[in-house]
Amino acid sequence: MAEMDEKILMDKAMEGNGSDSVSQDEVPKKSEYLNDTTERRGSVAVNIIENPLKRKVPREVLDDARSFAEGNGLTEYGELFGRAALVARNPEAIDTIEELTGPERAALQYEREHKWHGPKMMWFTVSLCAIGAATQGWDQTGSNGANLSFPVEFGLEDKDGNAVNDAAFWIVGLVNAIIFLTAGLIGAWIVDPLNHYFGRRGEIFLTAACLTATPIGSAFTHSWQQLFAARFVMGIGIGAKNATVPIFSAEVAPARIRGALVMFWQLWVVIGIFLGFAANVIVKDTGAISWRLQLGSAFIPSFILLCGIWFCPESPRWLMKKARYAEGFRSMSRIRAHDIIAARDFYYSYVLYCEELRVGGGMGYFSRLADCFRIPRIRRANYGASTVMIAQQMCGINIISFYSSTIFRNVGYDSTQALYASLGYGAIQVVSTIPTLFLIDTKGRRRLCLITFPLMCIFLLAAGLSLLNPIQTGAAKLAPIVFFVYLFTICYGLGEGPVAFQYSAEVFPTIQREQGMAWAVFINNFFAGVLSLTFPRMQAPDVMGPTGAFGFYAGLNLIAWFMIFCFVRETKQLTLEELDQVFSVPTSKFLKYELSVRVPWFLKRYFLFRRNLVEPPASIGKDQ
């Protein structure tokens, strides 16, 4: 079945598909690799990632690289590209490549021994991308603090924080939710044309300008309709920025640290959440304009991104896609420590791009998106990615991220105490995310989620039930609520928080990765919008109340756990070829393995304490 799926995908790629096809300006000129007819492996994904240079002998590789340089405005670098191609063909054997000069060999050896070594421009660009991640967290926490006072300003609540009517609940929810709805419904889907016409830097500049202007505009609004309009536009910028900044970061970063940077995205999102809460606390004593400053402060990271992106080089991969090879190599040279490293990475990226076009050049954006649902191997990966993305909203973490200040005020804190409690929540989320950077590749994505979701259910339910204690008052009543919310947050940081985007970024084959991630980001943002829209009304006393709302999301944690058990397959420490094997297994066979092999082992190991049992493989391949 899997072989048939791959054959269908290969046939479609070679046939093309009309108006959807890749434009001529994006096809490399006179590429020997594009016209290569060497027999491929059975997996499309592996064909792309398997080193195509190894299909030719060293002399052919060297000559092809020289021809590439001489034919694309890089004549003075012809010999350099020849040597670089030999390194790319066999990077582990640099000592045996006689053509290398002494300084080149030393530079390559130093790179091998110092994983995080790189020029200042590379680290400046990577750091700027981290600030791009922080903008998301700051944007959503600005409204968290502002929720304490802007509804009063616009006549939606009385001075005690009580909604004036039922419609007010929905209006407050809509103002909070709209940035996520437009991020998912509009922003995530305009990334492709924006990147096509403006490049990575241009697109990031435009979205950063949007995310600088809209928070400032929000601060000067005089009605909820004006605030809604400002946040509507802000959401488009957030969605487009969220899809481009990780791509830009991945295309700039060396392969040896690229995976770690995917994890850093979530870490910097929660750092942005903490900084947003800190800003809320800083401006809390400014009186009637505090909510305006809380919303407006979100312009700070976006403004830094807006200014900094001008000093960054354009993505070499994007320039290559436009057949601007000389510019692409100059850009790569700015973010690599030595010319031989820059030439190696640029030429190897070019060869892989030719391979992508050979395999999937006739498939357009929407054809590749459709394959995420109709090709079984990719569809199963999509099930897993969609599951972890929607589970991030089902677990209830964002009712805390979006409304923690309101929740803490409604249970008895004053506004200042509520802001400080929210600041503590932000700090705990940052601290609890850090260990997962090390656990995710040892314990695994699936295991971390399966362990932490039941705990999140328990702690969220406990927080809700703590509200029902009619005897205790004041600090005695509030402390358990905050305590259980913080425990819930720790479990989230140790599992679902970092897993969602990491998992979604790695499970799709290379050809469908942009489309698969766009769909996953849409799912995540859309349901974040649904949550933000419905929670104010949900926690109203005449509907569910705070306890009922917490209990509702506690129950969703159990449903999310069941979905993860059924659809999320382990991906820790697996190569692309092994991922192909894992997702080629039918869901029925996967569940049979889990229920008949993994679950019995788990019960015997951790409940019957039989320590001598050998753990079965975390994943099952199609041949097992």
Side-chain angles (χ1 to χ4, degrees):
M1 186 68 179
E3 288 79 2
M4 185 178 296
D5 297 339
E6 300 292 0
K7 184 179 186 303
I8 293 171
L9 185 55
M10 178 72 79
D11 290 344
K12 288 171 54 194
M14 298 307 295
E15 289 171 4
N17 134 345
S19 60
D20 249 356
S21 61
V22 175
S23 60
Q24 289 301 311
D25 68 328
E26 296 179 4
V27 178
K29 303 172 184 176
K30 302 178 182 179
S31 169
E32 293 295 330
Y33 291 95
L34 190 61
N35 299 321
D36 183 14
T37 58
T38 306
E39 183 178 356
R40 266 46 173 185
R41 307 268 297 276
S43 162
V44 173
V46 174
N47 284 335
I48 293 176
I49 209 66
E50 182 189 38
N51 191 341
L53 294 171
K54 291 189 175 181
R55 300 182 193 130
K56 297 187 176 184
V57 298
R59 174 52 57 183
E60 289 181 293
V61 170
L62 189 146
D63 290 341
D64 288 343
R66 287 172 177 166
S67 299
F68 163 78
E70 292 168 1
N72 291 288
L74 294 165
T75 304
E76 68 270 31
Y77 298 107
E79 295 300 320
L80 172 68
F81 269 87
R83 298 191 297 272
L86 294 177
V87 175
R89 181 180 182 275
N90 196 356
E92 301 303 320
I94 58 175
D95 293 333
T96 65
I97 301 175
E98 298 178 355
E99 290 83 354
L100 289 174
T101 67
E104 289 173 345
R105 199 183 309 276
L108 292 166
Q109 186 66 35
Y110 189 85
E111 178 197 40
R112 177 187 296 175
E113 297 171 355
H114 299 80
K115 177 180 178 180
W116 298 95
H117 174 64
K120 293 180 180 179
M121 181 52 69
M122 185 195 79
W123 287 113
F124 174 80
T125 304
V126 168
S127 299
L128 200 67
C129 290
I131 293 174
T135 60
Q136 176 180 345
W138 201 320
D139 283 329
Q140 70 188 42
T141 52
S143 61
N144 186 307
N147 284 332
L148 295 175
S149 49
F150 91 78
V152 178
E153 176 86 6
F154 295 150
L156 301 172
E157 294 179 357
D158 60 29
K159 63 180 180 179
D160 296 320
N162 300 311
V164 296
N165 52 44
D166 288 347
F169 287 110
W170 292 107
I171 292 172
V172 172
L174 185 60
V175 168
N176 282 283
I178 192 61
I179 63 171
F180 302 102
L181 294 175
T182 54
L185 293 172
I186 303 176
W189 303 108
I190 64 173
V191 170
D192 196 56
L194 286 178
N195 276 268
H196 176 79
Y197 291 108
F198 298 106
R200 307 285 191 245
R201 288 173 67 245
E203 197 271 1
I204 292 172
F205 176 82
L206 289 175
T207 55
C210 172
L211 296 177
T212 299
T214 49
I216 296 174
S218 299
F220 287 93
T221 55
H222 295 284
S223 68
W224 72 262
Q225 292 92 341
Q226 292 176 0
L227 181 58
F228 172 85
R231 290 175 65 79
F232 184 99
V233 178
M234 181 190 295
I236 297 174
I238 288 176
K241 183 266 300 177
N242 285 357
T244 298
V245 171
I247 294 174
F248 182 60
S249 178
E251 291 178 344
V252 166
R256 64 186 185 277
I257 61 172
R258 192 170 296 142
L261 292 178
V262 176
M263 284 295 302
F264 284 152
W265 173 267
Q266 176 63 23
L267 177 61
W268 277 93
V269 168
V270 297
I271 289 174
I273 289 174
F274 172 74
L275 293 175
F277 281 130
N280 290 345
V281 170
I282 291 171
V283 302
K284 64 181 175 58
D285 295 325
T286 55
I289 65 168
S290 62
W291 71 268
R292 298 182 184 275
L293 297 177
Q294 287 163 345
L295 290 177
S297 67
F299 91 91
I300 296 173
S302 301
F303 182 70
I304 296 173
L305 181 64
L306 174 73
C307 297
I309 197 65
W310 278 107
F311 301 98
C312 296
E314 180 55 271
S315 162
R317 178 62 181 258
W318 185 85
L319 292 168
M320 180 188 302
K321 190 176 180 181
K322 297 298 182 181
R324 293 157 58 179
Y325 300 110
E327 292 178 60
F329 177 64
R330 286 195 294 271
S331 178
M332 183 70 81
S333 296
R334 295 180 63 192
I335 54 176
R336 293 296 183 267
H338 194 280
D339 281 349
I340 189 66
I341 298 174
R344 178 202 62 192
D345 289 355
F346 187 76
Y347 185 68
Y348 187 57
S349 181
Y350 162 79
V351 170
L352 290 181
Y353 178 56
C354 290
E355 188 71 11
E356 288 179 14
L357 290 178
R358 203 202 74 82
V359 175
M363 298 172 62
Y365 185 90
F366 293 105
S367 296
R368 297 180 188 183
L369 178 61
D371 281 346
C372 293
F373 300 91
R374 62 189 176 199
I375 302 297
R377 178 264 184 256
I378 310 173
R379 185 172 65 241
R380 295 180 195 117
N382 193 12
Y383 286 163
S386 299
T387 294
V388 293
M389 284 300 206
I390 195 172
Q392 193 171 68
Q393 308 308 327
M394 293 174 68
C395 75
I397 189 65
N398 282 333
I399 68 175
I400 312 297
S401 293
F402 302 161
Y403 293 108
S404 62
S405 298
T406 303
I407 292 170
F408 291 140
R409 182 193 61 184
N410 290 346
V411 300
Y413 281 141
D414 61 35
S415 294
T416 298
Q417 292 170 328
L419 289 174
Y420 276 112
S422 294
L423 180 63
Y425 155 77
I428 285 177
Q429 194 170 1
V430 173
V431 173
S432 61
T433 298
I434 294 173
T436 316
L437 299 176
F438 307 97
L439 293 173
I440 197 166
D441 280 323
T442 55
K443 300 302 180 183
R445 292 84 160 129
R446 175 181 168 86
R447 177 179 289 185
L448 287 176
C449 287
L450 291 178
I451 291 173
T452 54
F453 265 90
L455 295 175
M456 286 193 289
C457 170
I458 293 170
F459 294 138
L460 201 59
L461 183 61
L465 293 176
S466 298
L467 297 170
L468 297 178
N469 192 332
I471 300 176
Q472 293 180 331
T473 59
K477 182 176 182 178
L478 298 176
I481 300 169
V482 177
F483 175 70
F484 285 122
V485 166
Y486 285 0
L487 288 178
F488 166 80
T489 304
I490 291 172
C491 292
Y492 172 81
L494 292 173
E496 173 64 20
V499 165
F501 277 85
Q502 170 78 16
Y503 190 88
S504 301
E506 67 190 0
V507 296
F508 293 99
T510 305
I511 290 181
Q512 280 78 20
R513 187 156 294 155
E514 289 184 355
Q515 289 73 25
M517 271 300 289
W519 172 258
V521 169
F522 158 72
I523 290 288
N524 189 273
N525 281 280
F526 177 78
F527 283 97
V530 171
L531 180 152
S532 188
L533 174 64
T534 57
F535 186 73
R537 185 61 182 139
M538 184 183 294
Q539 68 165 347
D542 61 331
V543 184
M544 289 186 179
T547 298
F550 275 50
F552 175 80
Y553 279 98
L556 289 185
N557 273 276
L558 293 183
I559 297 175
W561 182 92
F562 177 77
M563 292 168 59
I564 289 168
F565 183 86
C566 292
F567 299 118
V568 176
R569 310 187 183 193
E570 188 55 74
T571 60
K572 68 170 183 176
Q573 300 178 6
L574 296 181
T575 66
L576 188 58
E577 181 177 21
E578 291 166 334
L579 285 178
D580 252 16
Q581 294 287 316
V582 167
F583 287 107
S584 293
V585 176
T587 302
S588 58
K589 185 177 180 181
F590 165 74
L591 288 175
K592 181 179 179 181
Y593 175 78
E594 290 294 315
L595 292 171
S596 62
V597 179
R598 293 284 302 176
V599 171
W601 170 84
F602 178 83
L603 295 175
K604 292 174 184 177
R605 173 65 181 81
Y606 292 102
F607 287 87
L608 300 180
F609 303 105
R610 295 172 60 178
R611 301 182 182 277
N612 59 336
L613 290 178
V614 177
E615 181 177 359
S619 302
I620 178 175
K622 66 180 181 180
D623 299 325
Q624 291 178 270

